[in-house]
Amino acid sequence: MQSGSVATRSADPKGADSAPPLDAVSLAIIEQLQEDGRRPYAAIGKAVGLSEAAVRQRVQKLLDQGVMQIVAVTDPLTVGFRRQAMVGINVDGDLDPVADALTAMDEVEYVVVTAGSFDLLIEIVCEDDDHLLDVINKRIRTLPGVRSTESFVYLKLRKQTYTWGTR
């Protein structure tokens, strides 16, 4: 049995074009795990019409291919991280070195290359306002190629789900 929540993602972090096609059974397994990441393989098997062993093999294949991961999702406030923010970043030149540097920062939860007003969007989880200021001012704005940033500090999180993977 696995524990935690399930987040689906592309096997290729640069895009979904190379992600392996998923059949209806794999999608149903993902949906079962998204409802409860600790659901026993026997219960999943019963729901999707496979044996426990077959579910175990399918789940391992999905994990190995990078289609999904099983993780424990915490509420940042309850574990000491009182400040979250979305930061829009504009870059001069090649985006890749900046995106790579941001990806390496522990405080950065995700990095998205975008089209529109910003070249990159990142989410940051910090202990407090001083920590957030330090990350933005001393670590992000000083990266070579970063032209500007705009921060959107979270006041209240109203919805966060991980069930979009099977729609």
Side-chain angles (χ1 to χ4, degrees):
M1 175 169 46
Q2 301 292 323
S3 63
S5 295
V6 176
T8 57
R9 61 188 169 100
S10 167
D12 175 3
K14 294 183 181 171
D17 295 336
S18 65
L22 299 177
D23 63 12
V25 174
S26 291
L27 291 172
I29 290 170
I30 292 169
E31 186 174 270
Q32 289 286 310
L33 288 168
Q34 285 179 323
E35 288 175 9
D36 180 357
R38 299 179 301 165
R39 185 164 287 158
Y41 290 145
I44 295 170
K46 187 174 182 179
V48 302
L50 293 178
S51 70
E52 179 180 349
V55 170
R56 186 180 316 281
Q57 289 175 342
R58 288 257 190 154
V59 168
Q60 190 59 54
K61 184 176 180 182
L62 292 167
L63 293 169
D64 291 345
Q65 292 175 331
V67 172
M68 69 175 192
Q69 55 185 314
I70 300 172
V71 299
V73 178
T74 61
D75 176 350
L77 288 173
T78 64
V79 293
F81 297 101
R82 306 238 176 264
R83 181 56 70 214
Q84 292 177 266
M86 177 77 60
V87 180
I89 301 170
N90 286 307
V91 175
D92 287 324
D94 190 1
L95 297 175
D96 288 337
V98 176
D100 291 344
L102 294 166
T103 300
M105 293 181 188
D106 289 338
E107 295 87 354
V108 177
E109 292 300 311
Y110 71 81
V111 177
V112 183
V113 176
T114 65
S117 298
F118 300 106
D119 297 314
L120 300 168
L121 284 176
I122 64 170
E123 184 177 42
I124 302 175
V125 178
C126 295
E127 295 167 11
D128 54 29
D129 287 338
D130 288 336
H131 185 198
L132 177 64
L133 179 60
D134 183 68
V135 171
I136 293 171
N137 194 45
K138 295 185 178 155
R139 295 177 53 208
I140 294 174
R141 288 183 178 159
T142 61
L143 288 172
V146 171
R147 179 181 27 172
S148 65
T149 65
E150 184 172 348
S151 301
F152 304 90
V153 175
Y154 296 2
L155 299 176
K156 184 175 186 178
L157 182 62
R158 294 288 301 260
K159 180 179 181 179
Q160 182 174 356
T161 67
Y162 297 97
T163 57
W164 47 265
T166 61
R167 287 192 265 146

